[in-house]
Amino acid sequence: MQEGPKCPNCGRALSYLKRVCTESTEYELSADGCYDRAETSKEECSGFVCPYCGYLIADNETKAIEFLRQNK
């Protein structure tokens, strides 16, 4: 049985990667103390990381899949 690829940072065998994305939302505050959702900006993704140590392994989906297919 072959293991999957290993994280170059922590050395753990990986069967998946985590995709790290951030999304920013702006809200409007009215005088009565209520918030209204105003606008959500486009999601920005920084890449695919090791689920154990957070090391950046790939900056796009194609590279992430290529990495995960190693040793298969």
Side-chain angles (χ1 to χ4, degrees):
M1 183 172 146
Q2 273 190 316
E3 291 184 6
K6 292 188 178 184
C7 173
N9 186 58
C10 70
R12 292 188 68 172
L14 304 175
S15 61
Y16 68 96
L17 299 175
K18 283 189 177 180
R19 185 175 186 199
V20 178
C21 299
T22 57
E23 182 178 273
S24 177
T25 304
E26 295 178 358
Y27 294 89
E28 295 175 349
L29 174 62
S30 63
D32 62 0
C34 293
Y35 285 94
D36 288 321
R37 187 172 174 167
E39 182 179 320
T40 300
S41 68
K42 185 177 177 184
E43 176 179 84
E44 292 185 33
C45 297
S46 59
F48 296 82
V49 301
C50 171
Y52 303 104
C53 72
Y55 181 78
L56 179 65
I57 292 176
D59 60 2
N60 65 54
E61 189 173 293
T62 301
K63 290 178 184 176
I65 292 169
E66 287 173 1
F67 175 82
L68 289 170
R69 287 182 177 167
Q70 291 177 19
N71 300 329
K72 289 244 179 205

